[in-house]
Amino acid sequence: MDLEKLLSDRLAPAFAAVAGGPVDPLVRRSPRADFQSDAPLALARRLGRPPRDVAAAVLEHAVLDDVCESAEVSGPGFLNLTVADRTLTDLVAGLVGDARLGVPPTAAPQTVVVDYSAPNVAKEMHVGHLRSTVIGDAAVRLLDWLGHRVVRVNHLGDWGTPFGMLIAHLADLGEAEAAHELSMGDLDGFYRAARAKFDADEAFRERSRQRVVALQGGDERTLRLWRLLVEQSERYFLTVYDLLDVTLTEDDFRGESAYNDLLPGIVDDLDRLGLLVSSGGADCVFPPGFGGRDGEPLPLIVRKSDGGYGYPATDLAALRQRTGELGATRLLYVVGLPQRQHFAMVFAVARAAGWLCPPAEAEHLGFGSILGTDGRMLRSRAGESVKLVGLLEEAVARATDLARARNPELDAEAAAEIGRAVGVGAVKYADLSTDRRKDYVLDWERMLSLDGNTAPYLQYAYARIRSVFRRAGTDARRDAPIVLAQPAERALTVELLGFGAVVAEMERSLDFHQLAGYLHRLATTFNAFYERCPVLRAPDELRESRLLLAELTARTLRQGLHLLGIRTLERM
């Protein structure tokens, strides 16, 4: 059990006795004690009593003597709680033999669909795909570890009118030459060449339009050429995912084309339910509460005036398939914040149609943009979107150079291993340590620093602990008693006991910057402990206790970084 839950459970009956009903004790960490409860202030306003009197009344009812060294009213009416050392040592001893570090599997497992990454066929992945891929993969790792059934969905853009142009260009090149060109990974070059022909050549434009008709009509040769585009693109995407070290596989690809046969039924069912409205020749749904700048109701267009289907119809079909066939009760869409209104409208229509009903819930995990050091959208020197592979390769190269500079004796294999783990970890952590709703600046010097809230700082803290055990020549004794002889030992113990509360919050919010912040506090607290409390030179009892605290810190850092998709290293 984590400390915040323990103290909340003890305070809840006392608050209920004073309030005459349930009250959240609002226990949190405090700079003036171990923990603090702010709840007396709000309760005092509700009861019309002085806050300090309410706080004192809560303490009179609370049973805290066996877990707290002190509990007192502070300031305008806070409750300051200092946990007894015996409570700390008993609880942290319970973590030693627990492979899950005090985080039990969920008691209510769900089927969760996580829709993330979603690149477009025949286009290279760029920096704009980084956040969706990294945030989505962290969600998958966390929810899977907690015991949920997690379904990864990589919703590829693999259908629509541009594919007529691409297939026509492929046919002009010949299948063998096109396959070779695509296998070289230059998807953007292939797309630009097709676009240039489309813009300059009327005959090519007409062939492109005919290919669209043939594709939608199921023409076998056109479909074969389309499959070649999809297959070569998927191979390229998998190389990017391997470099980025995420869990997406070929089994997780599910393109927009997979829902084509379902789209007419979506429109028919919306019509049967009385939700469909004809507007300007298009079939639309007007979910209540959505308006344009002119105040007019905003439509969700499910079938366009030319009879074609857009993203809303595909998203509705995918949602219905996920709640119906897959039985998902939590749907996560990891897509940029500019799509917030689109998904809000899709969810509203799905609820109105009865395709998204309790207990099923859909959430848009929106995120901001990655900026350059000039504060603008990150672009290449040529003004184009930065390719994701190029960004990752630069991160690895920079990290490898730093590793060699710090340790010139590293052989090439070791330097490459460190460079990849540190470089890719730095990119991921810079993203996940930021509130996902905010933009952030990609700053190489800060991201790769061994100081501050960075992945290399955390990776180095882990490697430092592993070096202690190499010098010790032994593992920690699992049955050693924990001794809190110094304030730094006590502070580290309190931090170790906070992991469970952070993970519980992550399960709900999926705000991974909170987990990153916890891991940084833990590493900082360990480094202070390491500087002030000699481990290997300590007397036997203290030595064993400190080795055990060091081991628990390493395990927690490793598990926390794994949930963020970041590798740990035995040596740096």
Side-chain angles (χ1 to χ4, degrees):
M1 178 183 291
D2 63 75
L3 284 172
E4 286 186 23
K5 185 174 188 327
L6 173 63
L7 296 172
S8 292
D9 288 349
R10 291 301 185 90
L11 286 173
F15 273 104
V18 174
V23 173
D24 185 345
L26 300 176
V27 174
R28 60 182 177 85
R29 292 294 300 278
S30 169
R32 296 177 180 83
D34 293 332
F35 294 90
Q36 174 179 305
S37 169
D38 299 345
L41 299 175
L43 180 57
R45 287 194 293 272
R46 200 172 96 196
L47 299 178
R49 295 172 56 185
R52 288 182 63 89
D53 289 355
V54 170
V58 169
L59 284 184
E60 287 179 8
H61 287 84
V63 180
L64 297 168
D65 291 347
D66 60 329
V67 295
C68 287
E69 179 183 308
S70 67
E72 58 187 17
V73 178
S74 175
F78 303 118
L79 290 178
N80 281 353
L81 308 169
T82 300
V83 182
D85 284 0
R86 179 53 185 261
T87 303
L88 294 177
T89 56
D90 286 349
L91 289 175
V92 83
L95 300 181
V96 172
D98 183 357
R100 297 186 60 86
L101 296 164
V103 183
T106 180
Q110 295 179 281
T111 293
V112 186
V113 171
V114 186
D115 183 330
Y116 66 114
S117 193
N120 292 312
V121 164
K123 288 187 179 180
E124 292 190 48
M125 292 179 71
H126 54 79
V127 71
H129 294 105
L130 176 64
R131 301 210 71 182
S132 175
T133 308
V134 168
I135 295 167
D137 204 61
V140 165
R141 289 169 181 265
L142 173 71
L143 296 170
D144 180 71
W145 188 59
L146 289 173
H148 297 285
R149 176 195 172 217
V150 181
V151 180
R152 297 182 297 259
V153 175
N154 196 347
H155 191 83
L156 296 185
D158 70 346
W159 201 254
T161 53
F163 282 88
M165 173 187 79
L166 294 167
I167 293 168
H169 179 52
L170 193 159
D172 288 353
L173 287 176
E175 291 183 43
E177 183 178 342
H180 174 72
E181 183 174 325
L182 290 166
S183 68
M184 298 299 290
D186 187 18
L187 300 184
D188 281 357
F190 183 91
Y191 187 92
R192 283 196 298 269
R195 185 78 227 184
K197 286 166 66 176
F198 186 86
D199 291 341
D201 186 343
E202 175 58 38
F204 181 80
R205 283 198 295 274
E206 180 57 32
R207 293 202 305 277
S208 298
R209 286 190 282 267
Q210 291 171 1
R211 286 291 183 183
V212 173
V213 174
L215 180 64
Q216 293 175 344
D219 174 69
E220 186 51 42
R221 181 166 186 267
T222 301
L223 283 171
R224 187 177 73 251
L225 297 175
W226 169 76
R227 289 190 195 101
L228 177 62
L229 280 173
V230 173
E231 289 166 5
Q232 293 294 340
S233 298
E234 288 181 351
R235 287 179 189 172
Y236 157 75
F237 298 148
L238 290 172
T239 65
V240 180
Y241 297 142
D242 179 65
L243 179 56
L244 191 53
D245 194 19
V246 294
T247 62
L248 284 166
T249 70
E250 59 186 336
D251 294 333
D252 304 319
F253 290 124
R254 190 168 178 86
E256 294 170 355
S257 59
Y259 305 101
N260 282 345
D261 293 343
L262 304 177
L263 302 184
I266 290 291
V267 175
D268 291 344
D269 286 350
L270 290 172
D271 190 24
R272 177 177 55 79
L273 292 166
L275 297 172
L276 208 62
V277 176
S278 180
S279 177
D283 292 320
C284 309
V285 179
F286 288 84
F290 295 92
R293 292 181 180 178
D294 56 3
E296 291 295 313
L298 201 60
L300 189 73
I301 301 173
V302 291
R303 184 162 57 193
K304 295 179 284 188
S305 57
D306 63 3
Y309 302 94
Y311 295 126
T314 301
D315 285 336
L316 286 168
L319 188 152
R320 184 162 70 165
Q321 185 263 345
R322 293 166 187 178
T323 57
E325 293 180 27
L326 298 179
T329 53
R330 190 177 186 187
L331 308 175
L332 303 176
Y333 293 78
V334 191
V335 186
L337 280 173
Q339 296 298 313
R340 175 171 42 198
Q341 181 171 262
H342 166 77
F343 282 109
M345 294 178 72
V346 167
F347 300 160
V349 171
R351 291 188 192 98
W355 303 331
L356 183 62
C357 305
E361 295 181 349
E363 304 167 52
H364 173 214
L365 297 187
F367 52 83
S369 300
I370 303 176
L371 309 178
T373 52
D374 59 0
R376 299 178 180 179
M377 294 285 287
L378 187 65
R379 299 282 183 186
S380 69
R381 290 182 180 178
E384 301 173 345
S385 293
V386 175
K387 294 180 180 179
L388 185 50
V389 168
L391 176 74
L392 296 174
E393 288 176 343
E394 181 173 358
V396 171
R398 286 173 178 263
T400 303
D401 289 344
L402 288 172
R404 287 179 176 143
R406 286 179 56 83
N407 187 356
E409 298 179 359
L410 281 175
D411 60 41
E413 184 178 351
E417 180 187 2
I418 292 171
R420 177 168 178 177
V422 172
V424 174
V427 170
K428 287 181 163 183
Y429 191 84
D431 196 301
L432 294 169
S433 62
T434 303
D435 183 335
R436 60 179 162 78
R437 301 162 191 81
K438 297 180 179 178
D439 300 341
Y440 74 91
V441 173
L442 194 146
D443 182 332
W444 289 115
E445 185 174 347
R446 185 187 66 80
M447 286 165 48
L448 292 167
S449 174
L450 285 172
D451 297 314
N453 189 13
T454 67
Y457 178 80
L458 300 181
Q459 290 168 315
Y460 183 70
Y462 177 83
R464 189 182 204 183
I465 297 171
R466 299 309 305 154
S467 73
V468 170
F469 284 97
R470 285 194 296 274
R471 296 199 306 275
T474 182
D475 293 330
R477 263 186 50 214
R478 294 295 180 93
D479 61 346
I482 301 293
V483 180
L484 305 182
Q486 298 291 333
E489 292 166 304
R490 192 179 189 284
L492 181 57
T493 301
V494 172
E495 285 297 344
L496 287 167
L497 292 169
F499 183 55
V502 172
V503 172
E505 173 59 23
M506 290 306 93
E507 181 179 19
R508 183 193 65 80
S509 70
L510 299 172
D511 284 338
F512 291 101
H513 68 283
Q514 296 185 18
L515 175 57
Y518 165 78
L519 295 174
H520 179 249
R521 290 194 305 275
L522 177 63
T524 302
T525 306
F526 173 80
N527 286 336
F529 156 82
Y530 186 77
E531 297 297 329
R532 297 166 191 167
C533 302
V535 177
L536 301 182
R537 292 183 286 106
D540 287 350
E541 186 181 40
L542 277 179
R543 182 179 187 273
E544 295 301 332
S545 172
R546 290 170 181 175
L547 281 172
L548 205 47
L549 289 175
E551 181 190 69
L552 282 170
T553 302
R555 287 173 54 199
T556 306
L557 286 173
R558 183 175 64 232
Q559 182 61 55
L561 286 170
H562 173 75
L563 294 177
L564 297 179
I566 296 171
R567 294 183 183 181
T568 48
L569 294 160
E570 295 295 304
R571 302 172 190 265
M572 278 182 68

